[in-house]
Structures are given as structure tokens and as C-alpha cells.
Amino acid sequence: MSGSLNTLLSPCQIPASKSVTNVWTWVDGRIRTMISVVALVVCLAGLVWSLDNGLARTPPMGWLSWQRYRCNTDCVQYPDDCISEKLYMRMADLLVSEGYRDLGYKYVNIDDCWMSRNRSKDGSLQPDPVRFPNGIKSLANYVHLKGLKLGIYEDFGTKTCGGYPGSKFYLQQDAETFAAWGIDMVKLDGCYTDVSDMDEGYPIMGFYLNQTGRPMLYSCSWPAYIKQKDFALYQKIAKYCNIWRNYNDIGDSWDDVSGIIEYYGKDGGNFSKVAGPGNFNDPDMIILGDYGLSYDQQRVQMAMWAIMASPLLMSNNLETVKPESKALLQNRRIIAINQDPLGIQGTRIVKMNGLEIWVKPLAPKGKSIAFAFLNLNHGGGPSKVSYPLNKLGAMSPQGYNVTDGFTGKLIGTYKSKDKVTVMVNPTGIFLGVANFLGQ
Ligand SMILES: *[C@@H]1O[C@H](CO)[C@@H](O)[C@H](O)[C@H]1NC(C)=O
Ligand SMILES: *[C@@H]1O[C@H](CO)[C@@H](O)[C@H](O)[C@H]1NC(C)=O
Ligand SMILES: *[C@@H]1O[C@H](CO)[C@@H](O)[C@H](O)[C@H]1NC(C)=O
């Protein structure tokens, strides 16, 4: 399929040389007409519309199937691991019974490969009939009765990354389908399309989601597909999306976790600055409870995702998460740092000899901070790290109580020019919270 969606969806900007009909010849006449009419409305409405759906006031928390379960559709050989309604129902049950829901992990999110290979006769998306015999609406009801929310996956292009039907040319119909099913969050990936279409297309899907009247948290993969990202782009993304992936997919390894941390440390285009209530950068799923990370490395992912105000979407088998991983995933202090109401994304202020220092301001603003001493070195034993509070931005002359962010244990009471000194394990972290002592 050649031709630019851009042009199609913005009739007010169609260059004279491009013909709408040529691009649309493969679509039946009814759909073509409908989309053209709607596109005109969007073109006008788009000037004033922006995201204001009241969602993601703090980073969303929950569970997402992709990293752990991928595109496993073989329910014969892998009855417990295939993408099926049973998997999501089981994870919903475990979110409740294992205590995750009550700590904020509310979303149960379907990822790729849930669909039937073909749309129905009227063009609607439909789930695979064997793996989702009761349909998505029934799954949504199940999840809602447990006090949870249901997320779903689609793709902005002609196909999903796994080759299932994409939303291109069906954006409005798919938004309406999701609303009718009772979906609470939509992740829109970006395979099989021109990157140049995304700039217009993702906002348009956001518009259609909004028009359904059902609040659906909108997760955009748009920036992940764009090579050169600047602050203006991020500002635009934040205007239309609640959360957005901007870097590589995570796999089950320390290399992936540390690579993402480095990308967020570089903060190219200052993307950290657009984070705040309603909008968060998404460094991808939490892999605690899987196979790839040591205990210290699991502490790093949990603490850094808290510092970075990142969505906490676990991708693991909640049935087999080891107690030590579960304790980290359920650490109320770490969750509170992640869910801090200011929603400020922490940034890296020092990178030297394999050591990094990160700071995230907490509420009340100007009085509390969370900070991390991250030791990325692989060799030897723990390193001694010593750094003055005032250089972390804790400037009050009345001083601070510094506690361990994991345990709440008091590390000491310090004046702002005093140094906090701690030992940090290799590929490990010290997470501190400094609380202002004055009024
Ligand atoms: C699905 O659609 C393709 C064409 O896109 C067609 O070849 C195939 O037979 C269809 N499969 C089913 C099960 O309808
Ligand atoms: C749609 O957008 C308007 C304006 O931004 C907003 O007030 C409303 O809450 C949105 N509705 C939904 C369902 O997202
Ligand atoms: C990012 O912000 C810093 C100041 O905090 C500024 O010096 C720099 O030019 C900005 N970079 C970009 C790419 O916007």
C-alpha cells in the first residue's frame, strides 16, 4: 500500500499532486466515504483538541503479557503460557489474591497476538475464537468485577508487529470496538506503517478514542519509531498520549535494563521534562520475577523505575514470582516514590567511573527528594559512595533525615553540606529519601 495516511487524514492539507482515490481503491466505497468525512471533522477539530481524559495522574501500574509470554499462540503445547483469555483471567486472579491490586497494580493488559487473523465481515476486530472463546467483552467484565482494568493492544499500521490486522484505515471503528468492549487502556504500536504518518495518525486515534466517550488510557509507541527526537516532538506527544514508549523493547536481561537506564540518563531532547500528571515516558515492562536479573539488579530496576516515574507494568508469571522479587514489587515505599503526586521524572546528575547519581524531587516540592547511587560496575565488591546533600538539591540549612528508600531505616541526620556515605553493591543501588527537618 503506497500513499500517505497523512494526506488522507488531513484533507485540508492535501497537496494537489496526490489523489485520495488512488490510495483508497482497495477499500470498499462505504468505508472510504466514512473516513473522508470524519477526516474533515478531525482536521478542523484537531486544532483545538488535546488529551484531557483524567487518566494516568500518576504512572499506571499493572501487568502486561508481552515480555514474558510474547506471541505464543500454541495452546496445545503450552496450555498455560499461550495468549488466551485463560492467561489474563489467571493473572487477574493473582493480582487480587497475591495482594498486587491493593497496592495499585490495576491494569491487566493484553499485548499482541490476541486477534483473529481476519476482521469480521463488517470490518470489526475479533479475538481468536479458540483462544478467546468468550470474547473480549466478557474478559473485560471478568476483570472489572475483580476491581481491575483491562488494556488491549493494536497497531497504527496495516498489521501488528506479529502480523495481525492493524488499525490503519480502521482507526475510528477500532476505537469504537474497544469502547464497546469496555477497554480501559489502549497500547498502539507502530509496525507496518510510514513513520511520517505517525505525527498525524496517533493524534487522530487519540481523537477517536476521546469521541467514544469512554476514558481509555492511551499508550503510544510513536516516539519509539522516530530516530531524531527533540523537545518539541515530546511536547506534542504529551499533548495527545498518556504514556509513550520511546526506546527499545525490554528483554529479560541486565543489558536491557542498564541500556534503558543509560538512554534515560542521556535524556536526549530533555524528554524527562514533559513527564507529569497525565503524561509519562515509558521505559517498558518490569521484569522482576523472571529469569534474567540478580537480586541486586532487580532492586535496581524497581528503584530506577520509581525514580524515573515510569509505568510499573510487570511482565512475569505471577504464579511463580519468588518471595524476594514479590517483596520488591510490593515494597510500599518504592511504590510511593513512583506514585509521588508531583509526577516529576528523576534525572541523572552524575556519571563517573561506572557510578551514577540520580535525583527525583518529591512532594512537598522543595522539601523532599529521592536519590539513587547506582553502581554499574561488574567487578569486585561493594563501592563506597559519598556525596553531599546540597549537590543533590537538598539545600535547607535546617537539615534532613535520610532514610533507606527500601527499608525506611534511618541512615542519618545531615546538614545540607554533609556527605551521605554508603556502600553500594556491584550492579546494585542505594536508594535514599531525604526529608526536610524544618517547617
Ligand atoms: C483471511 O483473509 C485472507 C485474505 O486477507 C484470506 O486469504 C483468508 O482465506 C481469510 N481467512 C479466513 C479464515 O477467513
Ligand atoms: C475528551 O476530550 C475532552 C477535551 O479535551 C475532555 O474534556 C474529555 O474528558 C475527554 N473525554 C474522554 C472520554 O477522554
Ligand atoms: C535541555 O535542557 C538543558 C537545560 O536544562 C539545556 O541546556 C539544553 O539545551 C536542553 N537540550 C535540548 C535538546 O533541548
Side-chain angles (χ1 to χ4, degrees):
M1 210 32 49
S2 65
S4 159
L5 183 67
N6 232 9
T7 347
L8 283 169
L9 290 171
S10 301
C12 45
Q13 291 163 14
I14 294 177
S17 62
K18 294 209 179 173
S19 153
V20 171
T21 345
N22 282 346
V23 184
W24 286 98
T25 41
W26 69 285
V27 183
D28 81 69
R30 188 178 53 83
I31 292 175
R32 178 168 64 240
T33 316
M34 182 189 77
I35 291 178
S36 302
V37 171
V38 172
L40 184 61
V41 174
V42 171
C43 176
L44 304 171
L47 300 174
V48 291
W49 184 77
S50 74
L51 182 72
D52 180 17
N53 58 10
L55 301 173
R57 305 308 295 171
T58 60
M61 297 170 65
W63 186 91
L64 173 62
S65 55
W66 184 256
Q67 198 302 117
R68 179 62 175 75
Y69 294 95
R70 303 282 163 152
C71 191
N72 186 346
T73 55
D74 184 350
C75 295
V76 176
Q77 296 210 56
Y78 301 94
D80 293 335
D81 286 356
C82 65
I83 299 302
S84 67
E85 62 184 28
K86 281 195 195 142
L87 174 68
Y88 297 101
M89 289 162 78
R90 198 166 77 244
M91 292 305 148
D93 293 349
L94 287 158
L95 283 171
V96 178
S97 64
E98 296 292 310
Y100 292 96
R101 178 198 61 190
D102 293 344
L103 291 162
Y105 292 97
K106 291 231 157 70
Y107 287 92
V108 177
N109 288 359
I110 301 170
D111 208 278
D112 203 353
C113 308
W114 60 270
M115 289 177 220
S116 166
R117 288 278 173 192
N118 290 356
R119 288 175 179 268
S120 70
K121 282 208 175 62
D122 74 354
S124 301
L125 289 172
Q126 46 189 1
D128 181 278
V130 175
R131 293 179 285 118
F132 293 84
N134 296 297
I136 304 294
K137 193 177 172 55
S138 141
L139 180 58
N141 288 341
Y142 184 87
V143 159
H144 291 155
L145 282 172
K146 302 217 153 228
L148 297 165
K149 295 171 183 293
L150 188 68
I152 207 160
Y153 168 102
E154 239 298 6
D155 189 285
F156 174 64
T158 50
K159 289 190 269 187
T160 71
C161 300
Y164 292 82
S167 277
K168 202 166 196 174
F169 312 114
Y170 295 92
L171 293 174
Q172 183 179 24
Q173 189 172 1
D174 292 351
E176 287 169 358
T177 299
F178 295 151
W181 283 344
I183 294 294
D184 304 294
M185 172 163 170
V186 175
K187 171 178 173 183
L188 195 65
D189 211 338
C191 284
Y192 297 103
T193 185
D194 287 342
V195 171
S196 60
D197 291 340
M198 294 182 174
D199 197 41
E200 294 254 325
Y202 272 89
I204 288 168
M205 183 55 163
F207 173 79
Y208 287 142
L209 290 172
N210 176 274
Q211 290 302 100
T212 67
R214 180 176 178 85
M216 289 183 268
L217 197 155
Y218 187 28
S219 165
C220 299
S221 298
W222 170 23
Y225 289 86
I226 293 178
K227 292 266 176 312
Q228 297 300 324
K229 297 181 266 255
D230 59 19
F231 192 62
L233 173 74
Y234 278 110
Q235 280 180 306
K236 181 168 180 187
I237 288 162
K239 199 171 159 201
Y240 296 107
C241 304
N242 289 116
I243 64 173
W244 51 86
R245 291 280 314 287
N246 55 0
Y247 190 56
N248 300 346
D249 281 5
I250 199 165
D252 191 5
S253 82
W254 171 245
D255 277 356
D256 288 314
V257 170
S258 55
I260 290 167
I261 292 171
E262 173 59 17
Y263 188 82
Y264 274 62
K266 281 192 188 131
D267 197 12
N270 287 332
F271 63 81
S272 63
K273 291 202 172 74
V274 294
N279 302 111
F280 295 98
N281 291 285
D282 179 3
D284 215 3
M285 292 156 272
I286 297 283
I287 58 170
L288 277 77
D290 292 320
Y291 307 95
L293 301 183
S294 72
Y295 179 67
D296 272 293
Q297 293 164 353
Q298 293 184 51
R299 279 174 40 104
V300 170
Q301 193 189 22
M302 203 59 201
M304 288 306 300
W305 265 234
I307 288 276
M308 300 188 303
S310 308
L312 297 180
L313 297 171
M314 305 177 280
S315 194
N316 50 19
N317 181 356
L318 292 171
E319 229 157 11
T320 58
V321 170
K322 294 212 172 72
E324 61 180 26
S325 303
K326 184 178 165 189
L328 293 175
L329 290 164
Q330 299 200 345
N331 185 309
R332 289 167 191 271
R333 291 188 175 82
I334 309 291
I335 292 172
I337 292 170
N338 174 269
Q339 296 288 304
D340 182 80
L342 296 179
I344 298 174
Q345 183 175 326
T347 52
R348 185 168 73 190
I349 58 168
V350 172
K351 174 181 163 73
M352 201 168 66
N353 301 332
L355 175 78
E356 300 189 358
I357 299 179
W358 289 68
V359 178
K360 172 181 164 68
L362 300 175
K365 202 173 181 177
K367 302 200 166 171
S368 290
I369 57 165
F371 61 97
F373 297 159
L374 175 61
N375 183 2
L376 295 170
N377 293 306
H378 296 90
S383 299
K384 185 177 268 187
V385 182
S386 201
Y387 206 71
L389 276 177
N390 57 9
K391 287 201 179 168
L392 297 169
M395 314 291 278
S396 157
Q398 279 141 303
Y400 295 83
N401 273 345
V402 173
T403 53
D404 181 314
F406 283 91
T407 62
K409 183 173 156 265
L410 185 68
I411 302 291
T413 300
Y414 301 88
K415 295 289 179 203
S416 73
K417 61 180 185 336
D418 292 345
K419 286 181 173 171
V420 177
T421 304
V422 290
M423 301 298 285
V424 188
N425 291 353
T427 64
I429 197 162
F430 172 78
L431 181 67
V433 176
N435 283 312
F436 175 70
L437 288 171
Q439 283 310 302

